[in-house]
Amino acid sequence: MAEFGVTFVDDAPDEAAAALALLLFGDPDAPMPGGFSNAELSPDSPIKAIASFPQELVLLGRATILIKGIAKRLGVRWSLAAKWKPAAEAALECGVDGCTMPVWSSPVQPAVTPAASAARAAGRTRFAEVASSLSAAGKLLGSWAIGRSGAAARYVVPEPIRARAKKVALRVATRVARARDTA
């Protein structure tokens, strides 16, 4: 945790970092090292041993505690570490320089239904899989076309018309901002 910028109070035991990592990202039923408690408000919570917590991680910490709390309340076994394992392994494979695309930008794979699993075992492709792939490809093609058309407009539309369009867009944006500020 120290590599992420978390610092602990001077009298915190060495196990405080491991206990904090387990509290935020680990299995809620995992035993805490160093006699720490997994109850956030307990006097033995590893949160009490934190001297400073980086601002960049505050939202992440809140989100993980919220997800774990909801899962516990609903009686769902949820391991954030298990869910993040593939992305973490991909990030480690990229090394210090990183990958071309961040791991969070990868497309999410749809959940596999029992029918799809049986069809895949039989070597058949399900229509829903084909439709989903076409839909995703269509969306990608559409966003590419919009980007290309914007770039092509620079060469097709004459400069006086582009300048006028920029002025109109600026005027509209100013009116919208003023209306939002007065509301």
Side-chain angles (χ1 to χ4, degrees):
M1 294 301 290
E3 292 179 16
F4 292 115
V6 178
T7 58
F8 295 94
V9 294
D10 292 334
D11 60 341
D14 294 337
E15 296 89 359
L20 181 62
L22 281 173
L23 178 68
L24 292 177
F25 310 115
D27 185 2
D29 297 329
M32 298 292 238
F36 285 103
S37 169
N38 60 359
E40 295 89 12
L41 301 177
S42 166
D44 296 328
S45 171
I47 294 174
K48 304 283 186 192
I50 297 174
S52 69
F53 197 79
Q55 185 176 1
E56 301 86 25
L57 295 179
V58 170
L59 187 58
L60 176 66
R62 286 181 178 175
T64 59
I65 295 293
L66 184 64
I67 290 169
K68 289 174 68 171
I70 291 171
K72 186 173 184 174
R73 180 75 174 143
L74 294 175
V76 176
R77 294 211 30 95
W78 181 268
S79 173
L80 207 51
K83 295 292 181 190
W84 286 355
K85 183 179 178 181
E89 288 173 342
L92 288 173
E93 287 176 13
C94 292
V96 177
D97 296 331
C99 293
T100 306
M101 295 292 289
V103 294
W104 49 262
S105 68
S106 299
V108 176
Q109 298 297 325
V112 179
T113 63
S117 178
R120 190 169 290 134
R124 295 177 296 166
T125 302
R126 306 262 316 161
F127 179 76
E129 294 172 329
V130 173
S132 175
S133 295
L134 285 175
S135 173
K139 289 177 184 175
L140 181 62
L141 179 62
S143 64
W144 174 83
I146 289 170
R148 290 302 298 164
S149 64
R154 200 170 57 194
Y155 302 109
V156 177
V157 178
E159 175 59 36
I161 295 174
R162 280 189 293 158
R164 178 78 176 144
K166 287 178 186 176
K167 287 179 185 177
V168 169
L170 181 61
R171 206 174 307 132
V172 169
T174 304
R175 286 181 189 161
V176 168
R178 283 186 191 145
R180 188 179 15 163
D181 291 342
T182 59

